[in-house]
Amino acid sequence: MQDSLVNVKARLGSTKFITDAEEHAHITIDEDICVTCPHENCMNACPAQCFEKIDGRMKFTYEDCVECGTCDIVCTPGSVTWYNPRGNFGVNYRYG
Ligand code: SF4
Ligand code: SF4
């Protein structure tokens, strides 16, 4: 790997995640809306690479989310639903 490239998933190892149960995921997407999406902005905008297209369907992994809120802004078709994480769950920043 080139020095200039950043391995996002490796960098996320410096944060601590207290994962809530899937039925309490703080972000959900509507895959049926995603299949009609004209831009798929979420894939480029999410700093934690939580959005991935697999077999033509958008998949979302909430466990690595750094809670920046960007996906809620860039998802103009309205697939993303964002809830505040429950108390004591979610990301904990160890540095800065
Ligand atoms: S931007 Fe929103 S609607 Fe488009 S693919 Fe991403 S989550 Fe789905
Ligand atoms: S809140 Fe930020 S880190 Fe979490 S899924 Fe959305 S864009 Fe990615």
Side-chain angles (χ1 to χ4, degrees):
M1 179 189 302
Q2 296 177 357
D3 290 343
S4 59
L5 295 178
V6 174
N7 185 328
V8 173
K9 294 295 183 186
R11 292 290 178 91
L12 287 173
S14 64
T15 56
K16 179 181 176 186
F17 297 91
I18 304 173
T19 306
D20 205 347
E22 190 163 353
E23 60 266 26
H24 292 291
H26 62 291
I27 295 173
T28 61
I29 65 169
D30 184 333
E31 294 181 19
D32 292 333
I33 294 176
C34 293
V35 295
T36 66
C37 184
H39 50 64
E40 299 177 345
N41 283 342
C42 56
M43 293 184 68
N44 291 323
C46 175
Q49 300 177 346
C50 293
F51 294 85
E52 184 179 12
K53 205 167 186 183
I54 300 174
D55 295 333
R57 302 283 290 182
M58 189 61 68
K59 299 298 176 187
F60 175 69
T61 306
Y62 75 100
E63 290 89 342
D64 287 342
C65 173
V66 296
E67 300 173 18
C68 66
T70 304
C71 57
D72 197 27
I73 296 168
V74 302
C75 180
T76 52
S79 169
V80 168
T81 303
W82 218 100
Y83 310 91
N84 285 325
R86 295 195 301 162
N88 298 323
F89 290 100
V91 65
N92 283 257
Y93 291 97
R94 296 178 182 175
Y95 307 108

